[in-house]
Structure formats: C-alpha cells, structure tokens
Short mmCIF file of all heavy atoms in Angstrom, two decimals:
data_model
loop_
_atom_site.label_atom_id
_atom_site.label_comp_id
_atom_site.label_asym_id
_atom_site.label_seq_id
_atom_site.Cartn_x
_atom_site.Cartn_y
_atom_site.Cartn_z
N THR A 20 -13.27 5.02 0.66
CA THR A 20 -14.54 4.77 1.34
C THR A 20 -14.36 4.72 2.85
O THR A 20 -15.13 5.33 3.60
CB THR A 20 -15.17 3.45 0.84
OG1 THR A 20 -15.37 3.55 -0.57
CG2 THR A 20 -16.48 3.16 1.53
N LEU A 21 -13.34 3.99 3.30
CA LEU A 21 -13.08 3.88 4.74
C LEU A 21 -12.75 5.24 5.35
O LEU A 21 -13.19 5.55 6.46
CB LEU A 21 -11.96 2.89 5.01
CG LEU A 21 -12.28 1.41 4.76
CD1 LEU A 21 -11.02 0.56 4.92
CD2 LEU A 21 -13.39 0.92 5.67
N GLU A 22 -12.01 6.05 4.61
CA GLU A 22 -11.66 7.39 5.12
C GLU A 22 -12.90 8.27 5.20
O GLU A 22 -13.09 8.98 6.19
CB GLU A 22 -10.59 8.02 4.23
CG GLU A 22 -10.02 9.30 4.81
CD GLU A 22 -8.80 9.78 4.04
OE1 GLU A 22 -8.73 9.55 2.81
OE2 GLU A 22 -7.93 10.40 4.68
N ALA A 23 -13.76 8.21 4.18
CA ALA A 23 -14.99 9.00 4.20
C ALA A 23 -15.89 8.61 5.37
O ALA A 23 -16.61 9.46 5.91
CB ALA A 23 -15.74 8.83 2.87
N ARG A 24 -15.82 7.34 5.77
CA ARG A 24 -16.61 6.86 6.91
C ARG A 24 -15.91 7.09 8.25
O ARG A 24 -16.47 6.75 9.30
CB ARG A 24 -16.90 5.37 6.74
CG ARG A 24 -17.85 5.09 5.57
CD ARG A 24 -18.07 3.63 5.35
NE ARG A 24 -18.58 2.96 6.54
CZ ARG A 24 -18.69 1.63 6.66
NH1 ARG A 24 -18.34 0.86 5.66
NH2 ARG A 24 -19.15 1.10 7.76
N GLY A 25 -14.71 7.64 8.22
CA GLY A 25 -13.98 7.91 9.45
C GLY A 25 -13.33 6.70 10.08
O GLY A 25 -12.96 6.72 11.26
N LEU A 26 -13.15 5.62 9.29
CA LEU A 26 -12.59 4.39 9.84
C LEU A 26 -11.07 4.31 9.69
O LEU A 26 -10.42 3.55 10.39
CB LEU A 26 -13.25 3.17 9.19
CG LEU A 26 -14.78 3.11 9.34
CD1 LEU A 26 -15.34 1.88 8.64
CD2 LEU A 26 -15.19 3.14 10.81
N VAL A 27 -10.52 5.08 8.75
CA VAL A 27 -9.07 5.20 8.59
C VAL A 27 -8.74 6.66 8.30
O VAL A 27 -9.61 7.45 7.93
CB VAL A 27 -8.51 4.31 7.44
CG1 VAL A 27 -8.82 2.85 7.67
CG2 VAL A 27 -8.98 4.79 6.08
N GLY A 28 -7.48 6.99 8.49
CA GLY A 28 -6.98 8.32 8.14
C GLY A 28 -5.65 8.17 7.43
O GLY A 28 -4.97 7.14 7.56
N ARG A 29 -5.30 9.17 6.64
CA ARG A 29 -4.01 9.14 5.92
C ARG A 29 -3.20 10.35 6.34
O ARG A 29 -3.74 11.43 6.55
CB ARG A 29 -4.23 9.15 4.42
CG ARG A 29 -5.00 7.95 3.93
CD ARG A 29 -5.11 7.98 2.42
NE ARG A 29 -6.48 7.73 2.02
CZ ARG A 29 -6.85 7.31 0.83
NH1 ARG A 29 -5.96 7.12 -0.10
NH2 ARG A 29 -8.11 7.11 0.54
N ARG A 30 -1.89 10.13 6.44
CA ARG A 30 -0.99 11.24 6.80
C ARG A 30 0.35 11.02 6.11
O ARG A 30 0.72 9.90 5.79
CB ARG A 30 -0.82 11.33 8.30
CG ARG A 30 -0.15 10.12 8.92
CD ARG A 30 0.15 10.34 10.40
NE ARG A 30 0.52 9.12 11.06
CZ ARG A 30 1.70 8.50 10.93
NH1 ARG A 30 2.62 9.00 10.16
NH2 ARG A 30 1.95 7.39 11.58
N PRO A 31 1.08 12.11 5.90
CA PRO A 31 2.42 11.96 5.30
C PRO A 31 3.35 11.22 6.26
O PRO A 31 3.28 11.39 7.48
CB PRO A 31 2.89 13.40 5.10
CG PRO A 31 1.67 14.24 5.21
CD PRO A 31 0.71 13.50 6.08
N ARG A 32 4.22 10.39 5.69
CA ARG A 32 5.22 9.67 6.49
C ARG A 32 6.28 10.68 6.94
O ARG A 32 6.76 11.47 6.15
CB ARG A 32 5.85 8.56 5.65
CG ARG A 32 6.91 7.76 6.42
CD ARG A 32 7.34 6.55 5.64
NE ARG A 32 6.38 5.47 5.89
CZ ARG A 32 6.37 4.33 5.23
NH1 ARG A 32 7.23 4.09 4.27
NH2 ARG A 32 5.47 3.40 5.52
N ALA A 33 6.63 10.64 8.21
CA ALA A 33 7.57 11.60 8.78
C ALA A 33 8.92 11.59 8.05
O ALA A 33 9.51 12.65 7.82
CB ALA A 33 7.77 11.33 10.27
N SER A 34 9.39 10.42 7.66
CA SER A 34 10.71 10.31 7.02
C SER A 34 10.68 10.66 5.53
O SER A 34 11.73 10.87 4.93
CB SER A 34 11.26 8.89 7.21
OG SER A 34 10.40 7.95 6.59
N ASP A 35 9.50 10.71 4.92
CA ASP A 35 9.37 11.03 3.50
C ASP A 35 7.97 11.56 3.25
O ASP A 35 7.01 10.79 3.13
CB ASP A 35 9.63 9.78 2.65
CG ASP A 35 9.65 10.06 1.17
OD1 ASP A 35 9.24 11.18 0.75
OD2 ASP A 35 10.05 9.16 0.41
N LEU A 36 7.84 12.88 3.18
CA LEU A 36 6.53 13.51 3.08
C LEU A 36 5.79 13.17 1.80
O LEU A 36 4.59 13.41 1.69
CB LEU A 36 6.67 15.03 3.22
CG LEU A 36 7.25 15.51 4.56
CD1 LEU A 36 7.38 17.02 4.59
CD2 LEU A 36 6.39 15.02 5.72
N ARG A 37 6.46 12.58 0.82
CA ARG A 37 5.80 12.17 -0.42
C ARG A 37 4.98 10.89 -0.21
O ARG A 37 4.08 10.60 -0.99
CB ARG A 37 6.83 11.92 -1.53
CG ARG A 37 7.62 13.16 -1.91
CD ARG A 37 8.77 12.78 -2.81
NE ARG A 37 9.68 11.91 -2.03
CZ ARG A 37 10.72 11.30 -2.52
NH1 ARG A 37 11.04 11.42 -3.80
NH2 ARG A 37 11.50 10.54 -1.76
N VAL A 38 5.31 10.14 0.81
CA VAL A 38 4.65 8.86 1.09
C VAL A 38 3.54 9.09 2.11
O VAL A 38 3.74 9.74 3.13
CB VAL A 38 5.66 7.82 1.64
CG1 VAL A 38 4.97 6.52 2.01
CG2 VAL A 38 6.77 7.60 0.64
N ARG A 39 2.35 8.52 1.80
CA ARG A 39 1.22 8.65 2.73
C ARG A 39 1.00 7.32 3.43
O ARG A 39 0.98 6.27 2.80
CB ARG A 39 -0.02 9.09 1.99
CG ARG A 39 0.26 10.39 1.28
CD ARG A 39 -0.86 11.29 0.94
NE ARG A 39 -2.12 11.11 1.58
CZ ARG A 39 -2.70 12.07 2.29
NH1 ARG A 39 -2.11 13.22 2.48
NH2 ARG A 39 -3.90 11.88 2.78
N GLU A 40 0.86 7.40 4.74
CA GLU A 40 0.59 6.22 5.55
C GLU A 40 -0.89 6.20 5.93
O GLU A 40 -1.51 7.24 6.12
CB GLU A 40 1.42 6.25 6.84
CG GLU A 40 2.90 6.15 6.61
CD GLU A 40 3.69 6.18 7.90
OE1 GLU A 40 3.23 6.79 8.89
OE2 GLU A 40 4.78 5.60 7.90
N VAL A 41 -1.42 5.00 6.03
CA VAL A 41 -2.82 4.81 6.41
C VAL A 41 -2.85 4.30 7.83
O VAL A 41 -2.13 3.36 8.18
CB VAL A 41 -3.52 3.81 5.46
CG1 VAL A 41 -4.99 3.67 5.83
CG2 VAL A 41 -3.35 4.23 4.01
N GLU A 42 -3.69 4.91 8.64
CA GLU A 42 -3.83 4.50 10.04
C GLU A 42 -5.29 4.20 10.34
O GLU A 42 -6.19 4.88 9.84
CB GLU A 42 -3.35 5.60 10.98
CG GLU A 42 -1.86 5.86 10.89
CD GLU A 42 -1.39 6.84 11.95
OE1 GLU A 42 -2.15 7.76 12.29
OE2 GLU A 42 -0.26 6.67 12.43
N ILE A 43 -5.50 3.21 11.17
CA ILE A 43 -6.86 2.89 11.62
C ILE A 43 -7.26 3.90 12.69
O ILE A 43 -6.43 4.32 13.51
CB ILE A 43 -6.95 1.43 12.12
CG1 ILE A 43 -8.40 1.00 12.27
CG2 ILE A 43 -6.14 1.23 13.40
CD1 ILE A 43 -8.57 -0.50 12.49
N THR A 44 -8.50 4.34 12.67
CA THR A 44 -9.00 5.27 13.68
C THR A 44 -9.69 4.46 14.79
O THR A 44 -9.95 3.26 14.62
CB THR A 44 -10.03 6.23 13.06
OG1 THR A 44 -11.17 5.45 12.63
CG2 THR A 44 -9.44 7.02 11.90
N PRO A 45 -9.99 5.10 15.91
CA PRO A 45 -10.75 4.38 16.94
C PRO A 45 -12.07 3.82 16.40
O PRO A 45 -12.46 2.71 16.76
CB PRO A 45 -10.97 5.44 18.02
CG PRO A 45 -9.77 6.35 17.88
CD PRO A 45 -9.52 6.42 16.39
N ALA A 46 -12.74 4.56 15.52
CA ALA A 46 -13.99 4.06 14.93
C ALA A 46 -13.73 2.84 14.04
O ALA A 46 -14.53 1.90 14.01
CB ALA A 46 -14.68 5.17 14.13
N GLY A 47 -12.60 2.85 13.34
CA GLY A 47 -12.24 1.71 12.50
C GLY A 47 -11.93 0.48 13.33
O GLY A 47 -12.33 -0.64 13.01
N ARG A 48 -11.24 0.70 14.43
CA ARG A 48 -10.93 -0.42 15.34
C ARG A 48 -12.23 -0.97 15.94
O ARG A 48 -12.40 -2.19 16.03
CB ARG A 48 -9.99 0.04 16.45
CG ARG A 48 -9.47 -1.11 17.29
CD ARG A 48 -8.35 -0.68 18.21
NE ARG A 48 -7.20 -0.16 17.51
CZ ARG A 48 -6.29 -0.88 16.87
NH1 ARG A 48 -6.42 -2.19 16.83
NH2 ARG A 48 -5.26 -0.31 16.28
N ALA A 49 -13.15 -0.10 16.29
CA ALA A 49 -14.43 -0.55 16.85
C ALA A 49 -15.21 -1.34 15.80
O ALA A 49 -15.84 -2.36 16.13
CB ALA A 49 -15.24 0.64 17.34
N ALA A 50 -15.18 -0.90 14.54
CA ALA A 50 -15.88 -1.62 13.48
C ALA A 50 -15.29 -3.01 13.31
O ALA A 50 -16.03 -4.00 13.21
CB ALA A 50 -15.79 -0.84 12.16
N PHE A 51 -13.97 -3.10 13.28
CA PHE A 51 -13.36 -4.42 13.14
C PHE A 51 -13.63 -5.27 14.38
O PHE A 51 -13.96 -6.45 14.25
CB PHE A 51 -11.85 -4.33 12.89
CG PHE A 51 -11.26 -5.70 12.71
CD1 PHE A 51 -11.43 -6.40 11.53
CD2 PHE A 51 -10.57 -6.31 13.75
CE1 PHE A 51 -10.93 -7.69 11.38
CE2 PHE A 51 -10.06 -7.59 13.61
CZ PHE A 51 -10.24 -8.28 12.41
N ASP A 52 -13.50 -4.69 15.56
CA ASP A 52 -13.75 -5.45 16.79
C ASP A 52 -15.17 -6.00 16.84
O ASP A 52 -15.39 -7.09 17.39
CB ASP A 52 -13.48 -4.58 18.02
CG ASP A 52 -12.00 -4.32 18.25
OD1 ASP A 52 -11.15 -4.99 17.61
OD2 ASP A 52 -11.69 -3.42 19.07
N SER A 53 -16.12 -5.29 16.26
CA SER A 53 -17.50 -5.79 16.27
C SER A 53 -17.65 -6.98 15.33
O SER A 53 -18.47 -7.86 15.57
CB SER A 53 -18.48 -4.67 15.91
OG SER A 53 -18.34 -4.30 14.55
N PHE A 54 -16.87 -7.01 14.25
CA PHE A 54 -16.97 -8.10 13.29
C PHE A 54 -16.08 -9.29 13.66
O PHE A 54 -16.37 -10.42 13.28
CB PHE A 54 -16.62 -7.61 11.88
CG PHE A 54 -16.73 -8.70 10.86
CD1 PHE A 54 -17.98 -9.20 10.53
CD2 PHE A 54 -15.62 -9.25 10.28
CE1 PHE A 54 -18.10 -10.24 9.62
CE2 PHE A 54 -15.73 -10.29 9.36
CZ PHE A 54 -16.98 -10.78 9.03
N TRP A 55 -15.00 -9.04 14.39
CA TRP A 55 -14.02 -10.09 14.69
C TRP A 55 -14.65 -11.37 15.25
O TRP A 55 -14.32 -12.46 14.79
CB TRP A 55 -12.94 -9.56 15.62
CG TRP A 55 -12.03 -10.64 16.11
CD1 TRP A 55 -11.93 -11.11 17.38
CD2 TRP A 55 -11.11 -11.43 15.33
NE1 TRP A 55 -11.00 -12.13 17.45
CE2 TRP A 55 -10.49 -12.34 16.19
CE3 TRP A 55 -10.76 -11.44 13.98
CZ2 TRP A 55 -9.54 -13.26 15.77
CZ3 TRP A 55 -9.82 -12.35 13.55
CH2 TRP A 55 -9.21 -13.25 14.43
N PRO A 56 -15.57 -11.32 16.21
CA PRO A 56 -16.14 -12.58 16.73
C PRO A 56 -16.83 -13.41 15.64
O PRO A 56 -16.74 -14.64 15.66
CB PRO A 56 -17.15 -12.12 17.79
CG PRO A 56 -16.67 -10.77 18.20
CD PRO A 56 -16.06 -10.16 16.98
N VAL A 57 -17.48 -12.76 14.69
CA VAL A 57 -18.13 -13.48 13.60
C VAL A 57 -17.07 -14.15 12.72
O VAL A 57 -17.18 -15.33 12.38
CB VAL A 57 -19.00 -12.51 12.76
CG1 VAL A 57 -19.57 -13.21 11.53
CG2 VAL A 57 -20.11 -11.92 13.62
N MET A 58 -16.03 -13.39 12.37
CA MET A 58 -14.98 -13.92 11.53
C MET A 58 -14.26 -15.07 12.24
O MET A 58 -14.00 -16.11 11.63
CB MET A 58 -13.97 -12.83 11.16
CG MET A 58 -13.00 -13.25 10.09
SD MET A 58 -12.10 -11.86 9.41
CE MET A 58 -10.73 -11.77 10.53
N PHE A 59 -13.96 -14.91 13.50
CA PHE A 59 -13.26 -15.96 14.25
C PHE A 59 -14.13 -17.20 14.38
O PHE A 59 -13.63 -18.32 14.33
CB PHE A 59 -12.80 -15.45 15.61
CG PHE A 59 -11.86 -16.40 16.30
CD1 PHE A 59 -10.57 -16.57 15.83
CD2 PHE A 59 -12.28 -17.14 17.39
CE1 PHE A 59 -9.70 -17.46 16.45
CE2 PHE A 59 -11.42 -18.02 18.01
CZ PHE A 59 -10.13 -18.19 17.54
N GLY A 60 -15.44 -17.01 14.51
CA GLY A 60 -16.35 -18.15 14.56
C GLY A 60 -16.29 -18.97 13.28
O GLY A 60 -16.27 -20.21 13.32
N HIS A 61 -16.23 -18.30 12.13
CA HIS A 61 -16.09 -19.00 10.85
C HIS A 61 -14.74 -19.73 10.79
O HIS A 61 -14.66 -20.84 10.27
CB HIS A 61 -16.21 -18.01 9.68
CG HIS A 61 -17.61 -17.65 9.35
ND1 HIS A 61 -18.35 -18.29 8.39
CD2 HIS A 61 -18.44 -16.70 9.86
CE1 HIS A 61 -19.55 -17.76 8.32
NE2 HIS A 61 -19.63 -16.79 9.21
N TYR A 62 -13.73 -19.08 11.29
CA TYR A 62 -12.38 -19.67 11.31
C TYR A 62 -12.37 -20.95 12.13
O TYR A 62 -11.84 -21.98 11.70
CB TYR A 62 -11.41 -18.63 11.89
CG TYR A 62 -9.98 -19.07 12.01
CD1 TYR A 62 -9.13 -19.01 10.91
CD2 TYR A 62 -9.48 -19.51 13.22
CE1 TYR A 62 -7.80 -19.39 11.02
CE2 TYR A 62 -8.16 -19.89 13.34
CZ TYR A 62 -7.32 -19.83 12.24
OH TYR A 62 -6.01 -20.21 12.36
N GLU A 63 -12.99 -20.89 13.31
CA GLU A 63 -13.04 -22.09 14.17
C GLU A 63 -13.80 -23.22 13.50
O GLU A 63 -13.39 -24.39 13.60
CB GLU A 63 -13.67 -21.74 15.52
CG GLU A 63 -12.77 -20.93 16.41
CD GLU A 63 -13.40 -20.61 17.74
OE1 GLU A 63 -14.59 -20.22 17.78
OE2 GLU A 63 -12.71 -20.76 18.76
N LYS A 64 -14.90 -22.92 12.83
CA LYS A 64 -15.66 -23.95 12.13
C LYS A 64 -14.84 -24.58 11.02
O LYS A 64 -14.91 -25.78 10.78
CB LYS A 64 -16.94 -23.36 11.54
CG LYS A 64 -18.00 -23.04 12.57
CD LYS A 64 -19.20 -22.38 11.91
CE LYS A 64 -20.12 -21.79 12.94
NZ LYS A 64 -21.16 -20.96 12.33
N MET A 65 -14.04 -23.76 10.34
CA MET A 65 -13.24 -24.26 9.23
C MET A 65 -12.22 -25.29 9.71
O MET A 65 -11.91 -26.24 9.00
CB MET A 65 -12.53 -23.08 8.54
CG MET A 65 -11.77 -23.47 7.30
SD MET A 65 -11.25 -22.07 6.27
CE MET A 65 -10.19 -21.16 7.35
#
C-alpha cells in the first residue's frame, strides 16, 4: 500500500540481489513529518 502511494520504494540489496530493501521516499518522509507533531503530543501527554 505504501509503495502504491509513493511513500516507500523497494530495491535489490547491492550485496545480495535476492534481498529487497525498503526505503522511505521524500513523500513518505513528508507524510510522517506531518503526523509526527500529533504523535509526539500524545507521547508528551502520556
């Protein structure tokens, strides 16, 4: 789902092409950054 939305991408690992690594995209980082203040606010209240 995240990949279809452009929030993460997958690529083969350089040291072993059978292994796929997941990377956050700039859009994924922006999505998390927009939510982080809300999550941190809950954390502080806790």
Side-chain angles (χ1 to χ4, degrees):
T20 301
L21 290 174
E22 189 170 32
R24 292 177 57 189
L26 303 179
V27 302
R29 298 184 228 200
R30 64 173 168 74
R32 180 171 276 171
S34 61
D35 186 349
L36 299 179
R37 297 169 296 174
V38 177
R39 303 204 17 122
E40 295 180 332
V41 182
E42 293 187 326
I43 194 168
T44 64
R48 188 169 300 283
F51 182 76
D52 288 348
S53 69
F54 181 69
W55 172 249
V57 174
M58 191 166 87
F59 191 71
H61 280 266
Y62 179 83
E63 287 181 316
K64 287 177 192 170
M65 186 166 61

